[in-house]
Amino acid sequence: MTEKSQETPTGPPDKPPSRGFIQDVVLNAVEPGVNSSVLLFLNGVFVLLLLTLFLIALIVGLNIHLLFLAILSLGLMLAFNWFIAQLPPATDSTQSAAAEDSDSTPSNVTTREKQD
């Protein structure tokens, strides 16, 4: 008779499987909050845009249009990073607290009825 070998998973059971960078960015697009890999990816895209504008300026020559596009790109990058820094971190406790508040007070009960 043939024996079937049982395969046991390697690694600790409590650690989730590691994901690649691109997979991490794509999957975190639907999760709440901003992941560090998404922020790194978007900053990389902005840096590549600025580098491309700089290389075009070197090849073609600096003109007002390229300068304006570079200023707009840099401003958008700075505004994006400032906005992300101002966001509070998304936690499960804030989401569950909001759900509890909505569950404890029925929408058809007014504040006067609560006081009585």
Side-chain angles (χ1 to χ4, degrees):
M1 303 218 163
T2 55
E3 295 180 20
K4 293 184 179 180
S5 63
Q6 295 179 351
E7 295 181 20
T8 58
T10 58
D14 58 343
K15 185 177 180 183
S18 63
R19 304 186 291 200
F21 179 74
I22 298 297
Q23 186 180 8
D24 193 32
V25 169
V26 171
L27 291 177
N28 284 319
V30 294
E31 294 177 359
V34 178
N35 191 336
S36 62
S37 60
V38 174
L39 189 59
L40 179 67
F41 177 75
L42 287 174
N43 281 330
V45 168
F46 279 122
V47 168
L48 287 175
L49 175 62
L50 289 170
L51 181 67
T52 303
L53 290 172
F54 177 73
L55 290 175
I56 291 174
L58 284 178
I59 293 170
V60 176
L62 184 66
N63 61 30
I64 191 70
H65 301 98
L66 289 174
L67 183 64
F68 187 70
L69 284 174
I71 290 171
L72 281 177
S73 301
L74 185 62
L76 182 61
M77 180 180 176
L78 293 173
F80 176 76
N81 284 313
W82 173 82
F83 178 75
I84 295 300
Q86 298 300 316
L87 286 177
T91 60
D92 292 333
S93 63
T94 57
Q95 293 170 353
S96 63
E100 289 174 6
D101 288 342
S102 65
D103 291 341
S104 64
T105 306
S107 60
N108 60 355
V109 176
T110 62
T111 55
R112 183 172 211 160
E113 291 174 358
K114 285 185 211 176
Q115 292 174 354
D116 293 338

